[in-house]
Amino acid sequence: QVQLVESGGGLVQAGGSLRLSCAASGPIFSIFSDYGMGWFRQAPGKERELVATITSSGGSTNYADSVKGRFTISRDNPKNKNTVYLQMNSLKPEDTAVYYCNAYLSPLGPGRGYWGQGTQVTVSS
């Protein structure tokens, strides 16, 4: 069974911080370091958008312009951790969305592969 389980969402005031986690489990993730990881978000009435990605090795990251300088993606590859994080600082009301974790093999690119169930982030003004 493949599972990506997000946690860490919640309600925060504008200017605050949250740290999202996504834990990967299941036999297909026995080599977690084979997978690139991404965070996406979807606000009500809007399409799902890419927030940040990190390569399988963790050596390269990419961010949407709207979150650059505020969000940081990172990952733990060692065995039995298999977790990717999204540190979100200086949060704005427009960051309010359901945040989804995505695991993909590099040839496919972000947005393909496996998805978590999502975690709600609400930023109040």
Side-chain angles (χ1 to χ4, degrees), residues 10-86:
L11 174 64
V12 65
Q13 288 189 331
S17 298
L18 284 173
R19 189 193 196 205
L20 305 183
S21 299
C22 172
S25 63
I28 203 163
F29 289 120
S30 61
I31 310 178
F32 180 66
S33 57
D34 281 354
Y35 288 82
M37 300 296 296
W39 286 97
F40 287 71
R41 66 186 181 187
Q42 187 167 19
K46 295 188 176 181
E47 292 187 354
R48 189 173 297 189
E49 64 173 355
L50 178 64
V51 175
T53 61
I54 187 166
T55 55
S56 55
S57 67
S60 180
T61 57
N62 187 49
Y63 298 92
D65 287 343
S66 59
V67 306
K68 278 181 182 176
R70 300 188 298 122
F71 290 12
T72 303
I73 188 171
S74 61
R75 65 187 295 162
D76 285 327
N77 277 349
K79 191 176 181 180
N80 297 326
K81 294 203 95 173
N82 291 357
T83 303
V84 63
Y85 305 96
L86 186 68

